[in-house]
Amino acid sequence: MSSSFTGSSPLAAYGWDDALEHEFTSHRAAGLIPARVAAVDRGLCDVVTENGPARASTGSGLSTGSGGDPAAAPCTGDWAALLAGGPDGRPAVAALLPRRTAIVRSSASRDSRGQVLAANVDTVAVAVSLAVPLDLGRVERLLALAWESGARPVVVLTKADRVPGAAGERAEVAAAAPGVDVVACSAATGEGVEAVRAVLSGTVVLVGPSGAGKSTLGNALLGAEALATGAVREADGKGRHTTVRRDLLPLPGGGVLIDTPGLRGVGLFEASQGLERTFADVEELAARCRFGDCAHGSEPGCAVLEAVEDGTLPRRRLDSYRKLLRENAWAASRTDQRLRAERENRTKAISRWQRQMYKERGRDR
């Protein structure tokens, strides 16, 4: 486990650095104190300050985010400017510092706004259980989210003790994750845990479905039973949600760990760049197609289809690429529709105000 966290502040262990100190200058001048959000729960959040942990309110303006956007609300990993004495007597989050990275998925309600899973993350560890058949499509989906966030993804194959020699599975996942470190480990036996530590740095978030072994792996990395774990059904490898919220915990040797609840559904939210990175091999082939607007359907001179035909590119991977592109385009169109509606509503509101103003002026004459 390596860490890029340096500095004399007590918050250095949680990622505070000179650049953040510079960003915080105006907030310090206003009497606010820096804090990192460790967990959020119903309008309150656990934070870590220079003087230790505290419980703070998120404030009415921040609880749902700016303009009602939940993606702008405080999230685990955020850096906040804290007012020591809020309206309810407890500290209050007055502002959030700009996020360096953010893992965003489509909201659970499937509307056009995103949900931030974690902020200011350096490494996204995608947990994949070897105790069940590999779902490479899910791996690609999570990698797209990770790349889009701006953080560095790694894939951790958990429960390696269940598979006698995981070389084949590791090769399969590596083929679906170009440019990504793929490491196998068993938290139960300790085998491979040090190899996992070696590829993690800074603020690390664990993502994956329930039953993937995220919390067990997290405990192995933390060196303590700090995260709740639960039983997994043998039939399908699925587990109950033992992690019900995102928590931020310091790692021995530097860095911090964020454990997330199991993700049953992971919808993409404007992940174009993430898809390009996830399917870098397909994008490279597409650049060789005869036509620049090739849809890789039946066009002559399509390098992608040629790679499928000669076995260089698995048909499954091309199908996954197309599926995620369609989903991402749909999500982007919904966002565009929402933005257009918001603009129209603002225009209508201004027109109503103007009509009312002219009407009142006419009465005064």
Side-chain angles (χ1 to χ4, degrees):
M1 179 74 202
S2 60
S3 171
S4 58
F5 299 168
T6 58
S8 57
S9 168
L11 285 175
Y14 289 87
W16 190 257
D17 56 24
D18 292 340
L20 288 169
E21 183 64 44
H22 178 72
E23 287 183 50
F24 203 79
T25 302
S26 61
H27 295 304
R28 279 203 190 276
L32 303 178
I33 58 175
R36 191 161 197 191
V37 178
V40 179
D41 182 26
R42 301 176 185 178
L44 297 174
C45 58
D46 295 326
V47 298
V48 181
T49 72
E50 293 170 322
N51 298 318
R55 186 79 160 161
S57 60
T58 58
S60 58
L62 289 171
S63 58
T64 57
S66 175
D69 186 356
C75 177
T76 301
D78 270 325
W79 286 103
L82 210 64
L83 181 65
D88 59 358
R90 60 163 50 96
V93 176
L96 298 177
L97 271 62
R99 292 164 175 158
R100 295 175 175 177
T101 64
I103 303 174
V104 185
R105 69 169 178 177
S106 62
S107 65
S109 61
R110 303 294 290 176
D111 64 14
S112 60
R113 300 181 188 273
Q115 176 191 12
V116 183
L117 299 178
N120 300 308
V121 172
D122 298 298
T123 308
V124 179
V126 178
V128 179
S129 172
L130 292 177
V132 295
L134 290 174
D135 184 345
L136 296 178
R138 178 185 287 274
V139 173
E140 289 160 343
R141 178 181 292 273
L142 290 172
L143 286 175
L145 255 68
W147 280 122
E148 185 69 24
S149 74
R152 179 178 63 89
V154 302
V155 176
V156 181
L157 304 178
T158 62
K159 308 183 184 183
D161 55 302
R162 306 283 189 91
V163 180
E169 288 79 0
R170 183 174 177 178
E172 280 189 71
V173 174
V180 177
D181 289 321
V182 180
V183 186
C185 76
S186 168
T189 66
E191 181 180 358
V193 173
E194 288 304 318
V196 174
R197 282 198 180 98
V199 298
L200 305 180
S201 62
T203 296
V204 179
V205 64
L206 301 176
V207 299
S210 297
K214 299 185 301 298
S215 296
T216 303
L217 172 62
N219 285 333
L221 295 172
L222 291 165
E225 297 295 315
L227 305 174
T229 59
V232 174
R233 293 198 301 260
E234 292 294 335
D236 56 10
K238 293 182 179 179
R240 297 178 61 189
H241 281 302
T242 50
T243 301
V244 295
R245 68 175 191 175
R246 287 166 280 278
D247 286 298
L248 183 144
L249 300 166
L251 284 161
V256 292
L257 177 72
I258 299 175
D259 186 27
T260 65
L263 301 176
R264 288 194 180 97
V266 186
L268 297 184
F269 182 78
E270 299 181 15
S272 298
Q273 294 184 8
L275 288 172
E276 289 178 7
R277 297 292 296 272
T278 301
F279 293 94
D281 52 343
V282 182
E283 293 282 337
E284 183 178 347
L285 288 167
R288 304 176 197 166
C289 291
R290 183 183 303 175
F291 303 107
D293 60 350
C294 182
H296 322 307
S298 58
E299 296 87 347
C302 176
V304 174
L305 292 180
E306 290 174 4
V308 172
E309 291 171 2
D310 66 22
T312 305
L313 179 70
R315 166 65 66 176
R316 181 215 63 80
R317 186 154 169 80
L318 177 58
D319 291 343
S320 178
Y321 174 67
R322 286 170 167 164
K323 176 183 178 181
L324 293 177
L325 280 180
R326 288 194 301 269
E327 180 181 326
N328 190 62
W330 178 81
S333 69
R334 283 176 61 83
T335 300
D336 291 341
Q337 291 170 8
R338 173 176 58 81
L339 293 176
R340 283 197 298 271
E342 289 177 351
R343 284 196 297 269
E344 291 173 0
N345 289 337
R346 284 196 296 270
T347 301
K348 290 178 181 177
I350 292 173
S351 297
R352 285 195 299 269
W353 175 80
Q354 288 176 332
R355 286 196 299 269
Q356 182 65 29
M357 180 183 66
Y358 294 148
K359 186 181 296 184
E360 291 178 355
R361 283 182 178 177
R363 291 172 182 169
D364 293 339
R365 289 177 181 175

